[in-house]
Amino acid sequence: MKPLTFEETIAGLEGALDKPAPKGSVTRIVIDSRQVEPHDLFIAIKGDRFDGHDFVGEALTRGAQAAVVSQSYEPPLATSAGALPSDATLIRVDDTVLAMGRLARYYRRRVIHGSVTVIAVTGSNGKTTTKMMIHHVLSGRWPGKASLKSFNNEIGVPLTLLSADPGERFVICEVGTNAPGEIAALAKMVEPEIAVLTGISEAHLERLGSIENICEEKLSLFKYLPTDGFAICNADHEALRARVFTGRSLPDVKMLTFGFCEQADLRLTDVRVVPGEGDGASVGLAFKVNDRFEYRLPVPGRHNAVNALAAIAVARRMGLDHDEIAERLATFSLPAMRLQVERFGDMTVINDAYNANPASLAAAVDVLVETPASGRRVLIVGEMRELGPASDELHIKAAERIAGSGVDFVVTVGPSAETMTKTIEQESGDAIASVSFETTADAKKTLASYLRADDTVLLKGSRAVGLEQLIDVLKSASSSSQPSSESSRVARQSV
């Protein structure tokens, strides 16, 4: 972050000081008091579990230049725990989250405009992986930043923008939503030069209502591109094709499409699963673009070849050639809990437990089936959250697909688990063994008894299910379980 004077900081926040501004400048924005260093600006955010206003005293004691607080904030008495230092500087605003967003927009327009290319990435699936692919490719030539983890909301996006430095070439903002209007609000703040839509699927139906509404919400990112902006859009979903290729209600900006679709500008062809290279890579991918340019990815999942097309499109827009892009993609590694491969003895564990919706679950099942295995292929699937009234139907459809996939054993976790297990039993005709657990805590108690030492296990579920808690169980089971050469068969049951 380029240091901001207090005059600039106050103007951006649209706030007011309790007393004359101190000397010095703001060099970083922090919302966690434990991370405060001298010259930081602490913004007190009220969350679900903690209220930053309770930690203003700690932040200022640690050396924060000032604290941004709500108009109604009342400092503790001087004799109370958490009291403020005598020279404390407070900046009062109407709403600390909105004020941080205003400061980010000010910084984007006044400080990094014209020097840093702002790239925004949205979509129902693959946002974080695509963002990291873009960063990996571009950082081979230039310094730049990408949002940490999945910082993609009204708090994470401004923090990402405010972390950019004018000496860097790019900053990549991941933009998420689970309610109408959220992407538009974030896009207005980000004002990207390049915007990427990775695709749409049945995610956050609980608040967005329909696939058509999801399509509209995601496409709203493009409306905040400048006239010389560049839109990059997945063309594989029918709802997106209906909008993109007809141009209905889309801004008049240059657009490039990608995907398996025959009409796509960057068309994925000749996708092949190849042996993995290096530690932790069971399989990788080789593919061509438009039957011409060849690339390799040292990660599993055909859907990741689609994500790579978006990264290729961004890189080409910014001037990189094919050879440079191919060299960088060949060394890419996935973020944590996105098809993260670990080996415990003879057991292979593929941790894809970060989140789930019907499309990403289907992609994960394909990865499990394509992964070489000496023993059984075991799918541990947590329920998919935020699907609204369509939840039961979508879980049943997912179970039907799993039943015909070729996996050997399925463990389901969550309130929808038993429905999925029964559907798998009925549809597979006893070909797939299964067990269901009401909660992850229940699964931790007895899951090990159903596993074998040479299983290949994939975990996939919504974030709230927390399937990553089962990793230690799998690690323990890998050393204590019998190999699959045993003749015993796992009985179907609910726990």
PDB file of all heavy atoms in Angstrom, residues 1 12 19 42 45 50 59 73 110 129 132 167 185-186 266 278 287-288 314 348 360 388 422 436 446 448 468 476 478:
ATOM      1  N   MET A   1       0.839  -1.199   0.000  1.00  0.00           N
ATOM      2  CA  MET A   1       0.000   0.000   0.000  1.00  0.00           C
ATOM      3  C   MET A   1       0.870   1.244   0.000  1.00  0.00           C
ATOM      4  O   MET A   1       1.852   1.334   0.757  1.00  0.00           O
ATOM      5  CB  MET A   1      -0.900   0.010   1.238  1.00  0.00           C
ATOM      6  CG  MET A   1      -1.743   1.260   1.404  1.00  0.00           C
ATOM      7  SD  MET A   1      -2.729   1.222   2.918  1.00  0.00           S
ATOM      8  CE  MET A   1      -3.499   2.841   2.824  1.00  0.00           C
ATOM      9  N   GLY A  12     -11.079   9.795   1.944  1.00  0.00           N
ATOM     10  CA  GLY A  12     -11.527   8.515   1.415  1.00  0.00           C
ATOM     11  C   GLY A  12     -12.587   7.856   2.273  1.00  0.00           C
ATOM     12  O   GLY A  12     -13.567   7.301   1.773  1.00  0.00           O
ATOM     13  N   LYS A  19     -10.155  14.874  17.045  1.00  0.00           N
ATOM     14  CA  LYS A  19      -9.230  15.955  17.377  1.00  0.00           C
ATOM     15  C   LYS A  19      -8.318  16.179  16.182  1.00  0.00           C
ATOM     16  O   LYS A  19      -8.374  15.417  15.209  1.00  0.00           O
ATOM     17  CB  LYS A  19      -8.424  15.584  18.614  1.00  0.00           C
ATOM     18  CG  LYS A  19      -7.556  14.344  18.460  1.00  0.00           C
ATOM     19  CD  LYS A  19      -6.835  14.033  19.759  1.00  0.00           C
ATOM     20  CE  LYS A  19      -5.908  12.842  19.602  1.00  0.00           C
ATOM     21  NZ  LYS A  19      -5.217  12.518  20.856  1.00  0.00           N
ATOM     22  N   PHE A  42      -6.321   1.013  12.066  1.00  0.00           N
ATOM     23  CA  PHE A  42      -7.191  -0.072  12.520  1.00  0.00           C
ATOM     24  C   PHE A  42      -8.642   0.306  12.254  1.00  0.00           C
ATOM     25  O   PHE A  42      -9.105   1.374  12.661  1.00  0.00           O
ATOM     26  CB  PHE A  42      -6.994  -0.335  14.012  1.00  0.00           C
ATOM     27  CG  PHE A  42      -7.932  -1.371  14.578  1.00  0.00           C
ATOM     28  CD1 PHE A  42      -7.791  -2.708  14.244  1.00  0.00           C
ATOM     29  CD2 PHE A  42      -8.974  -1.006  15.427  1.00  0.00           C
ATOM     30  CE1 PHE A  42      -8.653  -3.669  14.754  1.00  0.00           C
ATOM     31  CE2 PHE A  42      -9.836  -1.954  15.950  1.00  0.00           C
ATOM     32  CZ  PHE A  42      -9.681  -3.293  15.612  1.00  0.00           C
ATOM     33  N   ILE A  45     -14.396  -3.529  12.799  1.00  0.00           N
ATOM     34  CA  ILE A  45     -15.483  -4.190  12.070  1.00  0.00           C
ATOM     35  C   ILE A  45     -16.289  -5.047  13.035  1.00  0.00           C
ATOM     36  O   ILE A  45     -15.726  -5.821  13.812  1.00  0.00           O
ATOM     37  CB  ILE A  45     -14.925  -5.080  10.940  1.00  0.00           C
ATOM     38  CG1 ILE A  45     -14.060  -4.261   9.978  1.00  0.00           C
ATOM     39  CG2 ILE A  45     -16.061  -5.779  10.212  1.00  0.00           C
ATOM     40  CD1 ILE A  45     -14.803  -3.232   9.186  1.00  0.00           C
ATOM     41  N   PHE A  50     -17.220 -11.432  16.757  1.00  0.00           N
ATOM     42  CA  PHE A  50     -16.470 -10.412  17.487  1.00  0.00           C
ATOM     43  C   PHE A  50     -16.830  -9.029  16.969  1.00  0.00           C
ATOM     44  O   PHE A  50     -17.203  -8.864  15.808  1.00  0.00           O
ATOM     45  CB  PHE A  50     -14.954 -10.632  17.330  1.00  0.00           C
ATOM     46  CG  PHE A  50     -14.470 -11.957  17.833  1.00  0.00           C
ATOM     47  CD1 PHE A  50     -14.169 -12.979  16.946  1.00  0.00           C
ATOM     48  CD2 PHE A  50     -14.316 -12.193  19.182  1.00  0.00           C
ATOM     49  CE1 PHE A  50     -13.723 -14.208  17.397  1.00  0.00           C
ATOM     50  CE2 PHE A  50     -13.868 -13.414  19.651  1.00  0.00           C
ATOM     51  CZ  PHE A  50     -13.577 -14.427  18.757  1.00  0.00           C
ATOM     52  N   ALA A  59      -5.470  -2.191  19.751  1.00  0.00           N
ATOM     53  CA  ALA A  59      -4.886  -1.782  18.470  1.00  0.00           C
ATOM     54  C   ALA A  59      -4.069  -0.503  18.619  1.00  0.00           C
ATOM     55  O   ALA A  59      -2.950  -0.387  18.100  1.00  0.00           O
ATOM     56  CB  ALA A  59      -5.991  -1.596  17.432  1.00  0.00           C
ATOM     57  N   TYR A  73     -19.723   4.845  18.921  1.00  0.00           N
ATOM     58  CA  TYR A  73     -18.705   4.218  19.772  1.00  0.00           C
ATOM     59  C   TYR A  73     -18.403   5.073  20.999  1.00  0.00           C
ATOM     60  O   TYR A  73     -18.155   6.274  20.903  1.00  0.00           O
ATOM     61  CB  TYR A  73     -17.423   3.991  18.972  1.00  0.00           C
ATOM     62  CG  TYR A  73     -16.253   3.530  19.814  1.00  0.00           C
ATOM     63  CD1 TYR A  73     -16.232   2.264  20.375  1.00  0.00           C
ATOM     64  CD2 TYR A  73     -15.152   4.369  20.030  1.00  0.00           C
ATOM     65  CE1 TYR A  73     -15.151   1.840  21.147  1.00  0.00           C
ATOM     66  CE2 TYR A  73     -14.063   3.958  20.793  1.00  0.00           C
ATOM     67  CZ  TYR A  73     -14.084   2.686  21.348  1.00  0.00           C
ATOM     68  OH  TYR A  73     -13.009   2.271  22.111  1.00  0.00           O
ATOM     69  N   ARG A 110      -7.592   7.273  -7.041  1.00  0.00           N
ATOM     70  CA  ARG A 110      -6.631   8.362  -6.855  1.00  0.00           C
ATOM     71  C   ARG A 110      -5.179   7.901  -6.792  1.00  0.00           C
ATOM     72  O   ARG A 110      -4.275   8.690  -7.044  1.00  0.00           O
ATOM     73  CB  ARG A 110      -6.950   9.119  -5.567  1.00  0.00           C
ATOM     74  CG  ARG A 110      -8.338   9.726  -5.502  1.00  0.00           C
ATOM     75  CD  ARG A 110      -8.489  10.915  -6.436  1.00  0.00           C
ATOM     76  NE  ARG A 110      -9.780  11.563  -6.264  1.00  0.00           N
ATOM     77  CZ  ARG A 110      -9.999  12.560  -5.425  1.00  0.00           C
ATOM     78  NH1 ARG A 110      -9.014  13.019  -4.656  1.00  0.00           N
ATOM     79  NH2 ARG A 110     -11.207  13.107  -5.325  1.00  0.00           N
ATOM     80  N   THR A 129      -9.247 -20.747  -7.592  1.00  0.00           N
ATOM     81  CA  THR A 129      -8.241 -21.428  -8.405  1.00  0.00           C
ATOM     82  C   THR A 129      -7.870 -20.595  -9.623  1.00  0.00           C
ATOM     83  O   THR A 129      -6.681 -20.434  -9.944  1.00  0.00           O
ATOM     84  CB  THR A 129      -8.767 -22.805  -8.851  1.00  0.00           C
ATOM     85  OG1 THR A 129      -8.993 -23.620  -7.703  1.00  0.00           O
ATOM     86  CG2 THR A 129      -7.769 -23.499  -9.761  1.00  0.00           C
ATOM     87  N   MET A 132      -5.712 -17.665  -8.632  1.00  0.00           N
ATOM     88  CA  MET A 132      -4.342 -18.057  -8.338  1.00  0.00           C
ATOM     89  C   MET A 132      -3.587 -18.465  -9.600  1.00  0.00           C
ATOM     90  O   MET A 132      -2.370 -18.248  -9.695  1.00  0.00           O
ATOM     91  CB  MET A 132      -4.323 -19.190  -7.309  1.00  0.00           C
ATOM     92  CG  MET A 132      -4.908 -18.795  -5.951  1.00  0.00           C
ATOM     93  SD  MET A 132      -4.267 -17.223  -5.300  1.00  0.00           S
ATOM     94  CE  MET A 132      -2.538 -17.634  -5.081  1.00  0.00           C
ATOM     95  N   GLY A 167       3.859   0.481  -7.518  1.00  0.00           N
ATOM     96  CA  GLY A 167       5.004  -0.114  -8.194  1.00  0.00           C
ATOM     97  C   GLY A 167       4.725  -1.493  -8.747  1.00  0.00           C
ATOM     98  O   GLY A 167       5.571  -2.061  -9.456  1.00  0.00           O
ATOM     99  N   ALA A 185     -22.232  -3.973  -6.322  1.00  0.00           N
ATOM    100  CA  ALA A 185     -21.664  -3.065  -5.321  1.00  0.00           C
ATOM    101  C   ALA A 185     -20.144  -3.201  -5.264  1.00  0.00           C
ATOM    102  O   ALA A 185     -19.419  -2.201  -5.179  1.00  0.00           O
ATOM    103  CB  ALA A 185     -22.276  -3.348  -3.952  1.00  0.00           C
ATOM    104  N   LEU A 186     -19.640  -4.426  -5.337  1.00  0.00           N
ATOM    105  CA  LEU A 186     -18.199  -4.647  -5.296  1.00  0.00           C
ATOM    106  C   LEU A 186     -17.541  -4.208  -6.602  1.00  0.00           C
ATOM    107  O   LEU A 186     -16.436  -3.648  -6.598  1.00  0.00           O
ATOM    108  CB  LEU A 186     -17.900  -6.116  -5.012  1.00  0.00           C
ATOM    109  CG  LEU A 186     -18.318  -6.624  -3.627  1.00  0.00           C
ATOM    110  CD1 LEU A 186     -18.116  -8.123  -3.522  1.00  0.00           C
ATOM    111  CD2 LEU A 186     -17.527  -5.912  -2.531  1.00  0.00           C
ATOM    112  N   LEU A 266     -11.652 -19.068 -27.238  1.00  0.00           N
ATOM    113  CA  LEU A 266     -10.622 -20.001 -26.789  1.00  0.00           C
ATOM    114  C   LEU A 266     -11.312 -21.326 -26.488  1.00  0.00           C
ATOM    115  O   LEU A 266     -12.018 -21.457 -25.487  1.00  0.00           O
ATOM    116  CB  LEU A 266      -9.908 -19.488 -25.536  1.00  0.00           C
ATOM    117  CG  LEU A 266      -9.028 -18.243 -25.679  1.00  0.00           C
ATOM    118  CD1 LEU A 266      -8.305 -17.947 -24.378  1.00  0.00           C
ATOM    119  CD2 LEU A 266      -8.032 -18.384 -26.815  1.00  0.00           C
ATOM    120  N   GLY A 278       6.071 -35.103  -9.784  1.00  0.00           N
ATOM    121  CA  GLY A 278       6.458 -34.559  -8.490  1.00  0.00           C
ATOM    122  C   GLY A 278       5.596 -35.096  -7.361  1.00  0.00           C
ATOM    123  O   GLY A 278       4.641 -35.856  -7.567  1.00  0.00           O
ATOM    124  N   PHE A 287      -3.635 -30.466 -22.585  1.00  0.00           N
ATOM    125  CA  PHE A 287      -4.752 -30.026 -23.423  1.00  0.00           C
ATOM    126  C   PHE A 287      -4.266 -29.062 -24.495  1.00  0.00           C
ATOM    127  O   PHE A 287      -3.142 -28.543 -24.429  1.00  0.00           O
ATOM    128  CB  PHE A 287      -5.853 -29.358 -22.586  1.00  0.00           C
ATOM    129  CG  PHE A 287      -5.415 -28.123 -21.845  1.00  0.00           C
ATOM    130  CD1 PHE A 287      -5.567 -26.862 -22.390  1.00  0.00           C
ATOM    131  CD2 PHE A 287      -4.861 -28.226 -20.571  1.00  0.00           C
ATOM    132  CE1 PHE A 287      -5.171 -25.718 -21.700  1.00  0.00           C
ATOM    133  CE2 PHE A 287      -4.463 -27.088 -19.872  1.00  0.00           C
ATOM    134  CZ  PHE A 287      -4.618 -25.838 -20.444  1.00  0.00           C
ATOM    135  N   LYS A 288      -5.115 -28.867 -25.474  1.00  0.00           N
ATOM    136  CA  LYS A 288      -4.827 -27.899 -26.528  1.00  0.00           C
ATOM    137  C   LYS A 288      -5.894 -26.816 -26.516  1.00  0.00           C
ATOM    138  O   LYS A 288      -7.013 -27.026 -26.041  1.00  0.00           O
ATOM    139  CB  LYS A 288      -4.814 -28.573 -27.895  1.00  0.00           C
ATOM    140  CG  LYS A 288      -3.634 -29.500 -28.135  1.00  0.00           C
ATOM    141  CD  LYS A 288      -3.672 -30.081 -29.548  1.00  0.00           C
ATOM    142  CE  LYS A 288      -2.487 -30.994 -29.795  1.00  0.00           C
ATOM    143  NZ  LYS A 288      -2.523 -31.575 -31.167  1.00  0.00           N
ATOM    144  N   VAL A 314      -6.386 -13.832 -19.842  1.00  0.00           N
ATOM    145  CA  VAL A 314      -5.887 -12.643 -19.138  1.00  0.00           C
ATOM    146  C   VAL A 314      -4.434 -12.376 -19.525  1.00  0.00           C
ATOM    147  O   VAL A 314      -4.043 -11.238 -19.835  1.00  0.00           O
ATOM    148  CB  VAL A 314      -6.008 -12.807 -17.613  1.00  0.00           C
ATOM    149  CG1 VAL A 314      -5.317 -11.655 -16.891  1.00  0.00           C
ATOM    150  CG2 VAL A 314      -7.473 -12.877 -17.198  1.00  0.00           C
ATOM    151  N   THR A 348      -4.203 -42.708  -0.605  1.00  0.00           N
ATOM    152  CA  THR A 348      -4.165 -41.410  -1.272  1.00  0.00           C
ATOM    153  C   THR A 348      -5.410 -40.632  -0.860  1.00  0.00           C
ATOM    154  O   THR A 348      -6.528 -41.156  -0.966  1.00  0.00           O
ATOM    155  CB  THR A 348      -4.145 -41.566  -2.798  1.00  0.00           C
ATOM    156  OG1 THR A 348      -2.959 -42.267  -3.180  1.00  0.00           O
ATOM    157  CG2 THR A 348      -4.162 -40.208  -3.497  1.00  0.00           C
ATOM    158  N   SER A 360     -19.539 -28.444  -8.935  1.00  0.00           N
ATOM    159  CA  SER A 360     -18.198 -28.744  -8.419  1.00  0.00           C
ATOM    160  C   SER A 360     -18.133 -30.163  -7.852  1.00  0.00           C
ATOM    161  O   SER A 360     -17.080 -30.809  -7.923  1.00  0.00           O
ATOM    162  CB  SER A 360     -17.781 -27.720  -7.365  1.00  0.00           C
ATOM    163  OG  SER A 360     -18.598 -27.795  -6.212  1.00  0.00           O
ATOM    164  N   GLY A 388     -31.546 -23.701  -1.192  1.00  0.00           N
ATOM    165  CA  GLY A 388     -32.938 -23.288  -1.115  1.00  0.00           C
ATOM    166  C   GLY A 388     -33.929 -24.423  -1.324  1.00  0.00           C
ATOM    167  O   GLY A 388     -33.633 -25.589  -1.019  1.00  0.00           O
ATOM    168  N   LYS A 422     -29.569 -43.523   0.368  1.00  0.00           N
ATOM    169  CA  LYS A 422     -30.655 -44.375  -0.147  1.00  0.00           C
ATOM    170  C   LYS A 422     -30.742 -44.303  -1.664  1.00  0.00           C
ATOM    171  O   LYS A 422     -30.965 -45.309  -2.338  1.00  0.00           O
ATOM    172  CB  LYS A 422     -31.981 -43.952   0.490  1.00  0.00           C
ATOM    173  CG  LYS A 422     -32.101 -44.310   1.964  1.00  0.00           C
ATOM    174  CD  LYS A 422     -33.439 -43.854   2.536  1.00  0.00           C
ATOM    175  CE  LYS A 422     -33.564 -44.251   4.006  1.00  0.00           C
ATOM    176  NZ  LYS A 422     -34.833 -43.772   4.607  1.00  0.00           N
ATOM    177  N   SER A 436     -23.867 -43.452   6.034  1.00  0.00           N
ATOM    178  CA  SER A 436     -24.203 -42.041   6.224  1.00  0.00           C
ATOM    179  C   SER A 436     -24.030 -41.643   7.683  1.00  0.00           C
ATOM    180  O   SER A 436     -24.259 -42.452   8.596  1.00  0.00           O
ATOM    181  CB  SER A 436     -25.640 -41.755   5.761  1.00  0.00           C
ATOM    182  OG  SER A 436     -26.572 -42.455   6.559  1.00  0.00           O
ATOM    183  N   THR A 446     -16.363 -43.169  14.071  1.00  0.00           N
ATOM    184  CA  THR A 446     -16.301 -44.549  13.575  1.00  0.00           C
ATOM    185  C   THR A 446     -15.866 -44.682  12.122  1.00  0.00           C
ATOM    186  O   THR A 446     -15.805 -45.789  11.598  1.00  0.00           O
ATOM    187  CB  THR A 446     -17.677 -45.235  13.726  1.00  0.00           C
ATOM    188  OG1 THR A 446     -18.667 -44.481  12.997  1.00  0.00           O
ATOM    189  CG2 THR A 446     -18.085 -45.322  15.183  1.00  0.00           C
ATOM    190  N   ALA A 448     -13.068 -44.549  10.624  1.00  0.00           N
ATOM    191  CA  ALA A 448     -11.865 -45.353  10.389  1.00  0.00           C
ATOM    192  C   ALA A 448     -12.172 -46.829  10.199  1.00  0.00           C
ATOM    193  O   ALA A 448     -11.487 -47.524   9.434  1.00  0.00           O
ATOM    194  CB  ALA A 448     -10.880 -45.162  11.551  1.00  0.00           C
ATOM    195  N   GLU A 468     -12.714 -31.334   6.325  1.00  0.00           N
ATOM    196  CA  GLU A 468     -11.267 -31.401   6.544  1.00  0.00           C
ATOM    197  C   GLU A 468     -10.933 -31.914   7.950  1.00  0.00           C
ATOM    198  O   GLU A 468      -9.809 -32.367   8.206  1.00  0.00           O
ATOM    199  CB  GLU A 468     -10.623 -30.029   6.316  1.00  0.00           C
ATOM    200  CG  GLU A 468     -10.916 -28.982   7.355  1.00  0.00           C
ATOM    201  CD  GLU A 468     -12.256 -28.273   7.167  1.00  0.00           C
ATOM    202  OE1 GLU A 468     -12.998 -28.638   6.222  1.00  0.00           O
ATOM    203  OE2 GLU A 468     -12.548 -27.352   7.949  1.00  0.00           O
ATOM    204  N   SER A 476      -4.864 -41.757  10.402  1.00  0.00           N
ATOM    205  CA  SER A 476      -4.792 -42.848  11.373  1.00  0.00           C
ATOM    206  C   SER A 476      -5.231 -44.165  10.744  1.00  0.00           C
ATOM    207  O   SER A 476      -4.609 -45.218  10.960  1.00  0.00           O
ATOM    208  CB  SER A 476      -5.673 -42.521  12.581  1.00  0.00           C
ATOM    209  OG  SER A 476      -5.739 -43.610  13.473  1.00  0.00           O
ATOM    210  N   SER A 478      -5.000 -45.085   7.718  1.00  0.00           N
ATOM    211  CA  SER A 478      -4.067 -45.591   6.713  1.00  0.00           C
ATOM    212  C   SER A 478      -3.051 -46.561   7.300  1.00  0.00           C
ATOM    213  O   SER A 478      -2.531 -47.434   6.598  1.00  0.00           O
ATOM    214  CB  SER A 478      -3.328 -44.425   6.054  1.00  0.00           C
ATOM    215  OG  SER A 478      -2.460 -43.791   6.989  1.00  0.00           O
TER     216      SER A 478
END
